[in-house]
Amino acid sequence: MKTVGSEIVWQGRSWRFRVDELEADSGERISKGFIEHPGAVVLVPLREGADGPEIVMLRQYRLALDETILELPAGTRGWEEDWLDCAQRELREETGFRAASLRFLAQFWPSPGVSNELMRLYLATELQPDPLPGDVDEEIELQPLPLADLLMMAQDGRLQDAKSIIGILQTAVFLNTP
Amino acid sequence: MKTVGSEIVWQGRSWRFRVDELEADSGERISKGFIEHPGAVVLVPLREGADGPEIVMLRQYRLALDETILELPAGTRGWEEDWLDCAQRELREETGFRAASLRFLAQFWPSPGVSNELMRLYLATELQPDPLPGDVDEEIELQPLPLADLLMMAQDGRLQDAKSIIGILQTAVFLNTP
């Protein structure tokens, strides 16, 4: 396939939508749509709870699904924003906490077929209240849950958000590693 | 937020891109883009290899990343297509095998912030050669790997495709469950 055309069809606040025109060796043409994305951070805010380690999860309304889902705090990076600055900002906006320690755990592509978004996952610990105002379009409620429960939910299918499944499993692996 | 406008901006072969105009209580307006998606299947083609259980992985060129990545076979469902029919079709197109057994393992949203895509994960076993021609725009090479190696790659960050990390981890959990 060779690319014979490329156009930005929509430019949003944080990412843009591009359509490419492709031509096969046979001469057949298809058009393919992509999201051009600056990347996003995913946070695992970890603290000691009454029943052992717990994670500050969110319940967030998602317009694309028209559903409120359980997920880890996360957010889109500014095109030029430093990854750690972005992680701290999103943590403060979405949970109201600042982390004295942010440790990189893993990175992954959530949808490489349609987007170049790269997600970088950080373990956030030593949390202290230090909120920032959130985005106007976000409807978020905090829901701290024990890591042990979340691990079960990631494995039995009750947790259905991909970044959160990966975040919980990677955290469990990390905490068992000396 | 209330929706004050909605428009399909691009219609591709398998999914479409929609932009909504939203208005906050304050009167502030923002526009948000979404992918309207029929869903996709992810396959874990499992067979007995020389060194224990192995998974038929793919190396696939991804235009969005301009990179060839290691991933599980997967593909978009037709809007009216039965999920199991889709799973068998994609397995045959991408690996050249038919599975006598397809078992549902889990489902998840890869990108709920920008897409309503739901991925359904199937364990594909009892594989027999029965190829179907693939899509014109796909560049795919088979790469069978031991499950034990893939599990390490999912945990240490060498596997960076979200659906594949989840598929490998869920398969490992399932196989350890009596």
Side-chain angles (χ1 to χ4, degrees), chain A residues 152-163:
Chain A
M152 275 197 296
M153 294 170 76
Q155 292 176 340
D156 70 14
R158 275 178 294 164
L159 195 60
Q160 295 199 15
D161 173 53
K163 67 181 178 300

Side-chain angles (χ1 to χ4, degrees), chain A residues 77-166:
Chain A
R77 189 173 70 100
W79 288 97
E80 305 296 332
E81 190 177 22
D82 175 81
W83 286 92
L84 275 176
D85 290 348
C86 174
Q88 192 72 270
R89 176 181 60 73
E90 286 289 347
L91 183 66
R92 294 174 64 199
E93 286 179 9
E94 296 204 332
T95 71
F97 294 104
R98 162 189 291 281
S101 164
L102 285 168
R103 176 190 280 266
F104 174 76
L105 288 184
Q107 64 185 22
F108 50 88
W109 300 291
S111 290
V114 299
S115 172
N116 68 348
E117 179 176 5
L118 179 72
M119 288 188 144
R120 288 175 69 93
L121 177 72
Y122 294 92
L123 186 64
T125 54
E126 303 173 47
L127 307 177
Q128 294 294 336
D130 187 12
L132 275 178
D135 288 340
V136 61
D137 60 325
E138 288 180 339
E139 298 172 36
I140 289 177
E141 187 186 318
L142 299 191
Q143 180 158 19
L145 288 169
L147 176 58
D149 293 0
L150 287 164
L151 197 52
M152 275 197 296
M153 294 170 76
Q155 292 176 340
D156 70 14
R158 275 178 294 164
L159 195 60
Q160 295 199 15
D161 173 53
K163 67 181 178 300
S164 305
I165 297 171
I166 293 174

Side-chain angles (χ1 to χ4, degrees), chain A residues 1 9-10 13 15 17 19 22 24 28 30-35 62-65 67 69 107-116 136-137 154-155 160-162 165-166 169-170 173, chain B residues 1 9-10 13 15 17 19 22 24 28 30-35 62-65 67 69 107-116 136-137 154-155 160-162 165-166 169-170 173:
Chain A
M1 305 293 293
V9 168
W10 181 77
R13 284 181 308 167
W15 50 267
F17 186 67
V19 176
L22 303 175
E28 185 186 347
I30 60 167
S31 91
K32 283 193 93 165
F34 299 99
I35 290 174
R62 290 300 197 172
L63 185 58
L65 304 176
E67 215 171 303
I69 70 171
Q107 64 185 22
F108 50 88
W109 300 291
S111 290
V114 299
S115 172
N116 68 348
V136 61
D137 60 325
Q155 292 176 340
Q160 295 199 15
D161 173 53
I165 297 171
I166 293 174
L169 296 175
Q170 296 286 21
V173 168
Chain B
M1 304 295 289
V9 169
W10 180 76
R13 285 181 308 167
W15 49 267
F17 186 67
V19 175
L22 303 175
E28 186 186 346
I30 60 168
S31 91
K32 283 194 93 165
F34 300 98
I35 290 175
R62 290 300 196 170
L63 185 57
L65 305 176
E67 214 171 305
I69 70 172
Q107 64 184 21
F108 51 89
W109 301 291
S111 290
V114 299
S115 172
N116 67 348
V136 61
D137 61 325
Q155 293 175 342
Q160 295 200 17
D161 173 53
I165 296 170
I166 295 175
L169 295 175
Q170 295 287 19
V173 168

Side-chain angles (χ1 to χ4, degrees), chain A residues 63-75:
Chain A
L63 185 58
L65 304 176
D66 191 21
E67 215 171 303
T68 296
I69 70 171
L70 183 68
E71 56 185 310
L72 287 169

Side-chain angles (χ1 to χ4, degrees), chain B residues 119-130:
Chain B
M119 289 189 142
R120 288 175 69 94
L121 176 70
Y122 294 90
L123 185 64
T125 54
E126 302 171 48
L127 308 176
Q128 294 295 336
D130 187 11

